[in-house]
Amino acid sequence: MALGGGMIHHNIPDKEMLYRSYMPFIKNGGLFIPGFTQHELGKELFLTLTMMGSPERIALAVKVVWLTPEGAQGGKTAGIGVQFSPMDKGQTRAKIEAYLPGALEKDTPTATI
């Protein structure tokens, strides 16, 4: 949900959603966040992220690097892809990948590519 002009919150409830949302091919790592179509490429945002039922709220700066508009080809979910800031020093990427051991080598379709 959008909390303000440059702030968003995203909750990833389970491993399947995390796998479908994670973008390891983006430098520093990134996530696809469904439903946020009002942002523009290059826009910097502040993201608070909760994952897998953990009470921990991860707060980090991100940049919009991907847009999937409403009505996209192939029935893709509308939303944005965000790149984690280098200031995160790989911490969020490491937390996500700890939840997905072995899953990143699969050919299962994701919300990205």
Side-chain angles (χ1 to χ4, degrees):
M1 297 251 148
L3 298 177
M7 181 182 257
I8 56 176
H9 175 71
H10 185 55
N11 176 52
I12 299 176
D14 55 44
K15 190 174 179 176
E16 181 182 341
M17 172 84 87
L18 182 60
Y19 173 78
R20 291 183 48 77
S21 301
Y22 181 50
M23 298 190 302
F25 52 85
I26 300 289
K27 184 179 180 183
N28 305 319
L31 283 174
F32 177 77
I33 303 175
F36 290 92
T37 57
Q38 73 274 20
H39 299 293
E40 301 160 1
L41 281 176
K43 183 172 184 176
E44 293 185 353
L45 304 168
F46 186 76
L47 171 67
T48 57
L49 176 66
T50 52
M51 294 187 292
M52 314 291 282
S54 171
E56 178 187 18
R57 276 196 132 154
I58 300 167
L60 68 154
V62 296
K63 180 168 64 172
V64 178
V65 295
W66 180 290
L67 295 172
T68 303
E70 295 286 340
Q73 248 184 315
K76 288 281 189 183
T77 302
I80 59 172
V82 296
Q83 177 184 35
F84 304 147
S85 167
M87 294 185 307
D88 185 53
K89 297 183 170 109
Q91 293 177 33
T92 303
R93 177 182 209 130
K95 286 177 185 179
I96 289 171
E97 290 182 0
Y99 282 123
L100 299 173
L104 298 176
E105 289 79 38
K106 293 181 181 176
D107 289 335
T108 308
T110 69
T112 59
I113 59 172

